[in-house]
Amino acid sequence: MNTAPFRTELRRSIAPWAALALLAGGIAYLYLLDGPWAKRTTAWTAQWTALALWTRSLLVILWPVVVGLGALQGLRDHRSKASELLASTSRPLLHRTAVLAGALVLALVTAFALIVLSGAVQVAGNTSYLHLRWVPIVLVGVLALAAGALLGLGTGRALPSPFTPPALAMAAFAFTVLLGDLLGQRQLVTEQGIPYTEPNQLSLLSPAVAEVRDVLTTLAPAVHLGQGVWWLGMAATGLALLMTSTPRGRLLAGVPLLAGLVIALAVLPTDLRRMYVADGAAAELVCEGPVCVSRVQRQKLADLTGPAGTALSLLERKLGPGAPRTVRENTGSPTIGSPEAWSSDAVVFRFDDALFTGAHGERLTQAFVAQGLMPGCSVLPASWGGSVVVDEAIAQYVATRWVTGRPEPLPGVLSTGQTGRAETVWRVFAALPPAEQRARVRTMREATHSCQGEPLAALEGGTAR
């Protein structure tokens, strides 16, 4: 095979510069900007699934750039006024198209692969849990980049205007934003009247994916299949536009895109729980004594056993019968709204809970105690505000201080304006007989584990319901 035309295309086309732009943009975004992709257990360099999902999320910005650069490359023959000359050569049209498209696609795929590789090297050193279920997520992203480049090439050749590349890039960016934020979101309200959104089927037509919320959830196989068909249809349309020069041919070139869209919508799930599915192998519990974590977090188990064991001993000494006997990671998925598995017999926690972020040693013991007394369903996110959040934070502080004897609150539990009231509640509570203190804390635990009661009212001697 004569590779000289291909090498020439790589040197003289926009392909190397497009690859450099893609690589520089992706690396700068992930390494220089401070965002959720760089934090906690869902960091893009922490786990394999997180790596794949976060690099896919880059495409919300990079994909429109690729489409615009492809359109710019598609203008080359028209700008050089060589269209008729090339058409008169003996070189087959398919061969000319393959060289042009192949050079650009290869350069872009190589750049994206380097971004993934830079993260994979770090993931390999940060986790002992290895699997290959993240590969299809990356491969679909590669296919989306190739389809975007080919669509840009074809559109640039079909509409040879200097306004085509910027207009097409802006249209592609509007497409990804609309599918990510407006058309691709379903508006819902919780039982407490708190509004929230979740992705719908249209969001899966975007080259990017939703923000990574946990490492125990992945995209379903039906999503990979539907998205693959969609991007293949788009790629076929781009190639058809490259190879035709008649109005009828350009009109027919849209058929693969429409066919891919119809098939994709028939294949892609409509329910969130069928789009994002639990990774059963990653969520499998691994235990050491009374402490259990998911397989994906196994390397952290050794650091938890000491503080967790101390917390269980403190709770048993203060609560007596009915105190939690085990500590385990909550493997329910917040991404797909899995119900919380609260149990009075176990301290159930997440590594990314505010109580446990950056905690170690005595602070980690204190966090386990606090979580065992009041699980997370009772303490609403602070951004939602409300007196209920304040009351529950004070109740958690008082009960935790009663068990550990430490007056210092955990970071983020009490704000400056709440410490005075918390101290007042503590002094009243500490003056009670020990039996009454234990009875009130038990009542508070019953209320908080049912996620229906008022824990501060229980500590103050009122009704907990």
Side-chain angles (χ1 to χ4, degrees):
M1 178 180 177
N2 185 8
T3 61
F6 191 80
R7 294 196 305 270
T8 301
E9 191 69 46
L10 281 175
R11 288 196 309 269
R12 297 183 178 179
S13 72
I14 201 175
W17 298 105
L20 182 61
L22 184 71
L23 180 61
I27 293 297
Y29 187 91
L30 291 171
Y31 282 99
L32 301 181
L33 296 181
D34 185 23
W37 54 86
K39 301 174 181 177
R40 302 183 180 179
T41 62
T42 56
W44 78 290
T45 57
Q47 304 291 345
W48 295 106
T49 300
L51 166 69
L53 292 173
W54 278 122
T55 49
R56 274 286 298 277
S57 72
L58 281 176
L59 299 188
V60 71
I61 296 175
L62 299 183
W63 190 76
V65 175
V66 166
V67 174
L69 291 173
L72 184 62
Q73 178 65 44
L75 297 179
R76 184 182 63 178
D77 293 348
H78 177 77
R79 292 199 312 268
S80 61
K81 300 180 181 181
S83 300
E84 294 182 3
L85 175 63
L86 292 173
S88 65
T89 63
S90 60
R91 190 177 170 196
L93 175 62
L94 180 60
H95 186 250
R96 295 200 311 268
T97 302
V99 171
L100 173 64
L104 181 60
V105 169
L106 177 62
L108 293 173
V109 168
T110 301
F112 189 70
L114 289 175
I115 295 174
V116 176
L117 180 62
S118 69
V121 171
Q122 298 177 76
V123 172
N126 290 335
T127 181
S128 59
Y129 179 64
L130 178 64
H131 65 95
L132 297 177
R133 290 181 295 279
W134 61 279
V135 175
I137 302 174
V138 173
L139 292 180
V140 171
V142 168
L143 186 56
L145 284 173
L150 292 174
L151 182 65
L153 277 171
T155 305
R157 177 166 290 182
L159 301 172
S161 167
F163 298 104
T164 297
L168 193 60
M170 291 177 62
F173 182 72
F175 173 77
T176 58
V177 171
L178 283 174
L179 290 184
D181 295 335
L182 298 176
L183 298 179
Q185 295 294 322
R186 181 184 296 111
Q187 304 292 327
L188 299 171
V189 179
T190 67
E191 294 180 357
Q192 294 79 20
I194 301 171
Y196 70 101
T197 62
E198 65 178 31
N200 60 27
Q201 186 186 42
L202 290 179
S203 69
L204 300 178
L205 297 177
S206 171
V209 296
E211 179 178 311
V212 183
R213 298 182 181 178
D214 70 286
V215 294
L216 302 178
T217 305
T218 188
L219 291 171
V223 174
H224 303 320
L225 178 60
Q227 290 181 334
V229 171
W230 164 236
W231 298 119
L232 283 174
M234 183 178 292
T237 289
L239 286 173
L241 287 172
L242 269 175
M243 298 181 65
T244 186
S245 59
T246 65
R248 183 185 178 188
R250 289 167 180 168
L251 183 62
L252 292 176
V255 173
L257 180 65
L258 292 177
L261 176 62
V262 171
I263 296 173
L265 291 177
V267 173
L268 291 172
T270 57
D271 181 66
L272 179 65
R273 289 161 184 78
R274 292 171 54 226
M275 300 176 193
Y276 293 88
V277 296
D279 188 339
E284 181 182 345
L285 290 177
V286 178
C287 301
E288 183 175 325
V291 185
C292 299
V293 298
S294 62
R295 285 184 63 193
V296 75
Q297 302 292 357
R298 184 172 184 172
Q299 73 277 9
K300 299 181 179 179
L301 185 58
D303 296 331
L304 300 180
T305 52
T310 303
L312 291 176
S313 299
L314 290 172
L315 288 168
E316 182 179 14
R317 178 170 60 85
K318 298 295 283 188
L319 294 176
R325 304 292 182 182
T326 60
V327 172
R328 61 179 172 83
E329 182 185 356
N330 185 354
T331 54
S333 171
T335 301
I336 57 178
S338 297
E340 304 289 3
W342 304 131
S343 170
S344 59
D345 296 331
V347 178
V348 184
F349 75 102
R350 293 186 190 277
F351 284 99
D352 286 338
D353 287 342
L355 287 175
F356 296 90
T357 302
H360 59 274
E362 293 185 358
R363 180 184 162 188
L364 185 56
T365 298
Q366 192 179 1
F368 280 127
V369 170
Q371 188 72 5
L373 292 169
M374 182 179 293
C377 67
S378 298
V379 181
L380 298 175
S383 60
W384 291 350
S387 60
V388 175
V389 177
V390 175
D391 289 350
E392 294 186 354
I394 292 173
Q396 187 181 60
Y397 162 74
V398 171
T400 303
R401 181 174 177 177
W402 175 71
V403 172
T404 63
R406 296 177 61 89
E408 309 88 4
L410 283 163
V413 173
L414 292 176
S415 66
T416 304
Q418 298 168 7
T419 54
R421 185 183 172 195
E423 283 299 320
T424 300
V425 175
W426 166 253
R427 285 195 296 269
V428 174
F429 178 82
L432 297 172
E436 179 64 18
Q437 292 175 351
R438 176 179 293 185
R440 291 191 181 188
V441 173
R442 284 178 173 175
T443 303
M444 183 207 72
R445 288 192 73 231
E446 292 175 1
T448 57
H449 280 77
S450 66
C451 295
Q452 297 175 354
E454 299 178 9
L456 185 57
L459 287 181
E460 292 179 328
T463 175
R465 299 189 181 277

